[in-house]
Amino acid sequence: MWKGAIGFGLVSVPVRLYAAVQEHGLRLHQVHDADGGRIHLKRVCEACGEQVDYEHIAKGYQDDEGHTAVVTQDELAGLPLPSKKLIDVLAFVDAGRIDPLQLSSGYYLAPESAAASKPYVLLRETLKQTERVAVTKIALRTRESLALLRVHGDLLTLHTMYWPDEIRDAGELAPPSSVTVRPQELKMATSLMDTLSEEFDFEELEDEYEIALGELISAHLSDRPVPRKETAPAPDNVIDLMAALQASIDSAARKPGEEERPGRAAKKAAAPAKPARGTAKTSAAAQKRTSAKKTAAASAGSTGRKATAKTATAKASSAKTGTAKTAKKTAATRKSGRRAAS
């Protein structure tokens, strides 16, 4: 889409510029809602009311007093534009100095010919080893803009940039400096970031809105019922930051189709409330007394059970002894009777 050269110092690298991105999406046209007829926009001059063909359309600028300066395409083409066919390198800087807000469209840069490969590789390797990027200027579609030249794999890429005065001042949009976070909250937030980052793959990302739009159009074309999908509303308040962080970690760690497990936050919510500070000591003492009573009762019960067991054993032993004595007396009596009879 563009052919020129990279110029830094006396070194020139002939290159070609290619679009690096391609947006995918279903294009919707303006139609009449009653019959589906296409709506076409016409260029009509408000001064004479006539429709104007494209070749008769010029550029114009109107000042505050209503005066219009008409500028033709030939006049625009005759303006001096040094960067029209040259990517002019202004400086080599550390990548960290570039504000991502300034980056716009991205392009691939390829060497124009085999002869251009040597200086191309020289520039690429120098940028790679020094970990720098090149700030340049380039003119695309008659508009000059800043551009960033950097290494992407084995290629040089170009990113058009906004001029510094095109970046709006943030003003007082940031929260006040009095707002702070606790170390525990930072730790939980870091844990959530780690959980969300596990096995992340850019290739698996997809445009859910575009998919739903395609299903909607397909349903209309085939006279099928229009599918409806509910979108969960965004939360508008955070009551307990720690609980919200823990719930987020539990949700991110849960695999698709897996039942929800109560996390630490849910367990905390289900646990009984802690006693007030004023009753903490009293409650602890009461718990100690109750524990002591339980221990004593258990000990007494154990002693009682042992004593009962000993008594039962003694009685059994006594009964055995008495039975043995009775048996001996009976045997002696029988012997005496037999002697007297004889």
Side-chain angles (χ1 to χ4, degrees):
M1 59 174 292
W2 184 93
K3 184 171 72 171
I6 302 173
F8 62 105
L10 299 178
V11 179
S12 178
V13 186
V15 292
R16 288 179 179 268
L17 192 71
Y18 299 88
V21 296
Q22 179 181 2
E23 294 186 7
H24 298 283
L26 298 173
R27 295 185 177 274
L28 300 179
H29 308 287
Q30 290 184 340
V31 297
H32 187 192
D33 61 356
D35 52 21
R38 288 284 299 271
I39 304 296
H40 295 279
L41 301 179
K42 297 182 178 180
R43 301 179 180 89
V44 178
C45 175
E46 66 177 13
C48 63
E50 295 182 359
Q51 185 174 343
V52 181
D53 295 332
Y54 184 77
E55 61 266 22
H56 295 295
I57 294 179
K59 302 292 184 180
Y61 177 82
Q62 189 176 53
D63 62 12
D64 296 337
E65 298 179 358
H67 302 135
T68 301
V70 178
V71 182
T72 65
Q73 296 290 348
D74 292 338
E75 291 175 330
L76 290 174
L79 292 176
L81 195 57
S83 58
K84 187 174 183 179
K85 290 295 181 182
L86 178 68
I87 301 175
D88 188 17
V89 176
L90 305 177
F92 296 95
V93 300
D94 293 334
R97 290 185 56 185
I98 304 300
D99 188 347
L101 282 176
Q102 288 188 257
L103 300 181
S104 182
S105 302
Y107 302 90
Y108 291 136
L109 281 173
E112 165 65 16
S113 61
S117 297
K118 179 72 172 182
Y120 184 97
V121 172
L122 174 62
L123 177 58
R124 183 193 68 192
E125 293 304 309
T126 305
L127 288 173
K128 186 183 299 185
Q129 291 185 15
T130 59
E131 297 183 350
R132 294 184 179 181
V133 294
V135 179
T136 70
K137 287 199 302 184
I138 186 174
L140 297 174
R141 302 183 185 89
T142 71
R143 186 178 188 273
E144 187 176 58
S145 66
L146 277 178
L148 182 71
L149 190 65
R150 70 180 186 92
V151 178
H152 179 74
D154 293 334
L155 274 179
L156 292 174
T157 58
L158 187 82
H159 297 266
T160 55
M161 300 174 64
Y162 297 104
W163 296 94
D165 60 354
E166 292 180 319
I167 304 298
R168 292 182 174 179
D169 184 10
E172 298 179 356
L173 298 179
S177 57
S178 58
V179 178
T180 59
V181 293
R182 296 178 297 167
Q184 299 92 324
E185 294 167 341
L186 284 173
K187 185 177 180 180
M188 291 288 289
T190 303
S191 178
L192 174 58
M193 291 171 61
D194 294 339
T195 304
L196 291 175
S197 303
E198 290 178 358
E199 301 179 0
F200 176 75
D201 186 3
F202 266 111
E203 300 298 327
E204 296 181 358
L205 300 181
E206 57 185 11
D207 189 344
E208 296 182 13
Y209 175 83
E210 195 68 21
I211 294 174
L213 178 59
E215 294 175 354
L216 175 62
I217 293 175
S218 177
H220 278 294
L221 293 176
S222 57
D223 293 328
R224 291 186 286 106
V226 176
R228 299 189 64 86
K229 295 184 178 180
E230 298 293 334
T231 302
D236 56 357
N237 63 337
V238 178
I239 300 176
D240 189 340
L241 184 58
M242 293 294 288
L245 287 170
Q246 182 61 50
S248 300
I249 294 174
D250 294 341
S251 176
R254 192 166 56 250
K255 298 179 180 179
E258 184 180 354
E259 294 184 0
E260 183 175 357
R261 299 176 182 176
R264 188 166 64 182
K267 291 180 181 178
K268 286 184 177 180
K274 293 181 179 180
R277 290 185 177 180
T279 60
K281 295 182 178 179
T282 304
S283 177
Q287 289 179 2
K288 287 183 178 180
R289 288 195 298 271
T290 301
S291 178
K293 288 181 179 178
K294 289 182 178 179
T295 303
S299 177
S302 177
T303 304
R305 284 193 298 272
K306 291 180 180 178
T308 302
K310 289 181 178 179
T311 303
T313 303
K315 286 182 178 180
S317 177
S318 177
K320 287 182 179 180
T321 304
T323 303
K325 290 180 178 180
T326 303
K328 286 181 179 181
K329 287 181 179 181
T330 303
T333 304
R334 288 178 179 175
K335 280 184 177 182
S336 299
R338 282 196 299 271
R339 288 174 182 174
S342 60

